[in-house]
Amino acid sequence: MAFIEWNKQFEINISEFDDHHRHLLNLLNKTFDNLKKGIEKEKLGMVLVQLVDYANYHFRAEEVWMKDQGYPKLQQHCAEHRYFIGRVQEMCKDYETGDTALAQELLSFMKNWLSSHILGSDQEYRRFYTKHK
Ligand SMILES: [Fe+2]
């Protein structure tokens, strides 16, 4: 079973962002598999960096789009993205100096945060978009 399964409820019907979210979940699953396989700490660190880079790329795309749509909760949404990136960067630093068990903690944080963010705040911009397009 995958670490995080794609769920129909994640769909926001904006194909670019659904693709991004699917890709993020795939990356999370691959990273988790690598962790379980016991790859070297340094290599896992590089995979984690790719995951964070992709999350950043996706957040930026969403933020530009929300701004273009005149989304009223843009600031709040951006703050959530910043919280995620800040927390993940802190955890990555701890991982570099700590042991590999911290990677498990980091991936669990990402999984929980991403699921609730997509189901909550991302679905909220979808509802706004559907109403106003
Ligand atoms: Fe978002």
Side-chain angles (χ1 to χ4, degrees):
M1 202 182 142
F3 179 57
I4 179 165
E5 299 270 0
W6 179 259
N7 176 335
K8 223 177 159 5
Q9 287 173 308
F10 287 146
E11 269 168 28
I12 51 175
N13 295 323
I14 296 167
S15 63
E16 182 188 358
F17 299 142
D18 279 334
D19 288 348
H20 286 180
H21 290 149
R22 275 202 187 86
H23 189 63
L24 266 172
L25 264 53
N26 282 337
L27 283 174
L28 253 180
N29 283 329
K30 275 188 197 151
T31 311
F32 184 76
D33 288 346
N34 278 321
L35 174 69
K36 290 288 130 185
K37 269 189 256 160
I39 66 159
E40 283 166 48
K41 191 177 175 214
E42 203 176 304
K43 275 191 191 150
L44 187 66
M46 290 195 291
V47 177
L48 284 169
V49 168
Q50 281 173 6
L51 182 54
V52 179
D53 282 352
Y54 189 78
N56 250 321
Y57 160 79
H58 162 63
F59 291 161
R60 262 187 231 123
E62 263 188 5
E63 288 165 13
V64 167
W65 181 85
M66 286 187 283
K67 198 172 176 216
D68 284 350
Q69 301 299 322
Y71 183 50
K73 286 190 167 177
L74 173 71
Q75 292 309 321
Q76 197 180 312
H77 200 118
C78 292
E80 285 184 33
H81 289 167
R82 275 198 303 277
Y83 168 76
F84 174 85
I85 294 294
R87 189 75 194 97
V88 165
Q89 278 169 345
E90 270 171 28
M91 290 174 100
C92 278
K93 258 191 215 149
D94 290 345
Y95 171 75
E96 278 168 32
T97 51
D99 67 277
T100 40
L102 290 166
Q104 169 83 56
E105 212 178 292
L106 173 55
L107 292 179
S108 296
F109 168 76
M110 286 181 159
K111 172 181 164 171
N112 295 332
W113 188 93
L114 275 171
S115 323
S116 64
H117 181 78
I118 297 172
L119 294 173
S121 304
D122 288 348
Q123 289 296 352
E124 214 175 326
Y125 74 60
R126 181 264 274 269
R127 285 193 291 276
F128 170 82
Y129 177 65
T130 314
K131 239 194 224 168
H132 295 87
K133 73 177 169 183

